[in-house]
Amino acid sequence: MRMEELDALASELFPEVVRIRRKLHENPEPGFEEWETSRMVQQILKAHGYIIKTGKEAVGSFTGVLASLYCGPGPVIAMRFDMDALPVSECEKESHIPVKEGFCSRREGWMHACGHDGHTAIGIGTGILLSRMRGKLSGTIQLLFQPAEEGCRGAKAMADSGILDNTDYFLAAHIYSREILKGEEADFLPAVEGSLATTKLNAVFHGRTAHGSMPQEGDNVNLSLASALLNLQAIPRNSRGATFINVGTINGGTGRNVIADQGKLELEVRGETSELNQYMEEYALRILKACAMMHNTRVEIETTGSAPSIHSDLQLAERIRKLFGTPESPVIPSRKTGISFPASEDVAHLMKRVQEHGGQAVFMLLATETRAALHQPDFDFNEEILKKGMLVFSETTTALLSKTRPD
Ligand SMILES: [Zn+2]
Ligand SMILES: [Zn+2]
């Protein structure tokens, strides 16, 4: 009965949630600058009875939002939705649906190419839906809207702010290509177990400039940059599992006949487990420092983002799977058959914090037809998944906070 009621409510809300998603898609905002997105989330949820907290003091970031709805004594359930866009220029072909239907990005060079417009719309829709179910629930709903997921920058500070420390259940999800389920009929997966832990680093080298014909008078950072690039990419593999490194940008010097005194590398390391990532990070830091020392330059290293590996609680995943009846297995097969989620997600910081305080957490995949891979200029998804997303979050919440729940 509850399921049918929610299904009817989600169908009724669906056109509005599509409108919200399209509005967000038109206005993709960079990480930590999601001002208008954050304002929209706050306005709508406040109008539906939620108590809003925002800002660095309250939730650990200026644009982050925590929207809470108290529905009586009982468990606390928290849900995470990310809001940021990517520095990608959106495809302009007529066959791209946002172009055809008039809602493509209006911000030059930026695009919602990772589906976070969909995630935020699902979060708002779920909030509205659950506010209508309030009388039938007992417990507290906390909707968390996170900035700067890309580059794994936004979650750590929100976790450290302590807003999740009394959470009993934590849910998060990502829109994903259906192909990942490899023939499964299901359009969602209750848990990801394992993901790539990662650390993002900037290394700024400082040297001493001189005339190109008097190199002995200078300390050339380009030598440090080049040595670092080759040695970083040559870090030995690790027999315990997959490791990755990428030096994504290299910039140094000002002119052909000038000894370079400023340079920068932007790089990332990843590992199949948090331990493997740590192996890569420590090795990379040694190389950066050694390459500065060998050419008498100085290096400043900054960590710009990080994420541990994701671990979902299988007990909670199994409860969610039973609600929906599919698929057969609640998790993507993990290490034995390869990396289960071949990417990084800083939701892992939030999950870890909840788990360290005795709560259970899952990271789910909402599987649908996508056009192009994530982060591509022609990425788009079937908007039907917005309804499925609302149902996954709201049905799980109503089951866990139901006044008639068995436990
Ligand atoms: Zn992404
Ligand atoms: Zn994403």
Side-chain angles (χ1 to χ4, degrees):
M1 187 59 209
R2 188 185 63 227
M3 290 274 204
E4 284 160 26
E5 193 181 347
L6 282 169
D7 202 75
L9 278 172
S11 298
E12 187 192 320
L13 261 178
F14 180 62
E16 177 60 16
V17 172
V18 168
R19 259 195 302 278
I20 291 171
R21 181 260 161 161
R22 293 186 172 200
K23 222 174 145 90
L24 293 169
H25 192 85
E26 279 183 353
N27 182 27
E29 297 184 287
F32 293 127
E33 294 175 32
E34 306 91 342
W35 300 107
E36 286 176 40
T37 305
S38 175
R39 196 172 310 131
M40 186 203 256
V41 166
Q42 294 176 45
Q43 272 169 359
I44 298 176
L45 292 177
K46 199 171 171 191
H48 286 85
Y50 284 78
I51 307 285
I52 304 294
K53 278 189 185 176
T54 185
K56 201 151 181 76
E57 288 271 290
V59 303
S61 67
F62 291 110
T63 52
V65 180
L66 178 70
S68 308
L69 191 70
Y70 180 73
C71 313
V76 177
I77 183 163
M79 292 162 258
R80 191 291 305 252
F81 307 95
D82 43 8
M83 304 186 287
D84 57 321
L86 281 158
V88 169
S89 293
E90 185 154 16
C91 160
E92 290 176 356
K93 287 186 197 148
E94 196 55 38
S95 57
H96 183 54
I97 288 171
V99 174
K100 195 155 75 184
E101 308 216 354
F103 66 94
C104 67
S105 169
R106 296 188 178 179
R107 185 185 289 251
E108 182 94 27
W110 287 85
M111 178 192 171
H112 269 297
C114 200
H116 299 183
D117 49 345
H119 300 167
T120 303
I122 289 170
I124 293 173
T126 301
I128 299 172
L129 222 157
L130 288 172
S131 72
R132 296 196 185 157
M133 298 293 288
R134 192 175 187 172
K136 296 179 179 163
L137 305 175
S138 196
T140 302
I141 296 161
Q142 298 207 308
L143 306 174
L144 197 66
F145 291 84
Q146 181 202 312
E149 190 287 318
E150 300 294 350
C152 295
R153 297 169 296 155
K156 178 90 170 49
M158 289 193 104
D160 290 346
S161 76
I163 50 175
L164 289 175
D165 290 359
N166 61 351
T167 302
D168 297 291
Y169 305 107
F170 177 89
L171 314 174
H174 207 295
I175 292 173
Y176 218 73
S177 166
R178 193 188 284 279
E179 285 163 27
I180 193 141
L181 295 188
K182 295 192 180 85
E184 290 275 6
E185 288 298 303
D187 43 14
F188 94 105
L189 202 76
V192 165
E193 174 56 13
S195 65
L196 298 179
T198 185
T199 307
K200 320 290 187 193
L201 300 166
N202 283 349
V204 179
F205 287 84
H206 304 276
R208 191 159 54 104
T209 189
H211 192 285
S213 65
M214 289 191 283
Q216 75 283 1
E217 301 295 323
D219 295 310
N220 191 341
V221 297
N222 280 349
L223 298 176
S224 293
L225 292 173
S227 306
L229 172 68
L230 290 176
N231 282 282
L232 287 165
Q233 299 279 165
I235 292 177
R237 304 283 76 81
N238 188 312
S239 65
R240 294 199 181 91
T243 54
F244 304 81
I245 181 156
N246 186 49
V247 180
T249 72
I250 176 164
N251 282 294
T254 52
R256 179 193 313 280
N257 50 7
V258 182
I259 300 295
D261 67 341
Q262 291 290 337
K264 185 177 176 187
L265 297 176
E266 292 180 326
L267 62 138
E268 59 167 28
V269 292
R270 302 187 197 230
E272 192 180 337
T273 62
S274 299
E275 291 71 31
L276 286 163
N277 184 59
Q278 197 183 342
Y279 160 80
M280 293 300 286
E281 183 181 339
E282 285 170 4
Y283 214 129
L285 294 177
R286 268 200 313 278
I287 288 171
L288 290 166
K289 287 175 195 158
C291 289
M293 191 197 275
M294 71 200 270
H295 296 293
N296 202 33
T297 62
R298 186 168 59 81
V299 62
E300 279 171 0
I301 303 164
E302 183 197 2
T303 302
T304 62
S306 71
S309 192
I310 289 174
H311 294 294
S312 292
D313 286 288
L314 301 188
Q315 202 188 342
L316 178 58
E318 181 58 20
R319 283 177 83 171
I320 298 171
R321 188 189 70 79
K322 277 191 185 146
L323 280 177
F324 297 93
T326 60
E328 291 275 296
S329 157
V331 291
I332 291 185
S334 186
R335 289 195 57 175
K336 288 184 189 113
T337 48
I339 303 154
S340 62
F341 184 62
S344 304
E345 240 286 1
D346 69 352
V347 73
H349 280 301
L350 300 165
M351 295 171 71
K352 195 163 167 253
R353 181 87 181 197
V354 167
Q355 289 160 337
E356 281 167 1
H357 285 77
Q360 296 179 48
V362 291
F363 181 60
M364 310 177 280
L365 295 182
L366 297 167
T368 186
E369 300 79 35
T370 55
R371 286 164 209 91
L374 291 170
H375 294 199
Q376 298 304 300
D378 50 346
F379 173 78
D380 190 31
F381 57 83
N382 181 342
E383 286 172 327
E384 286 294 322
I385 199 66
L386 300 174
K387 184 183 164 195
K388 181 71 190 185
M390 282 192 282
L391 285 173
V392 165
F393 282 103
S394 57
E395 287 186 9
T396 303
T397 303
T398 51
L400 293 169
L401 304 191
S402 165
K403 278 182 174 165
T404 55
R405 64 181 176 274
D407 47 328

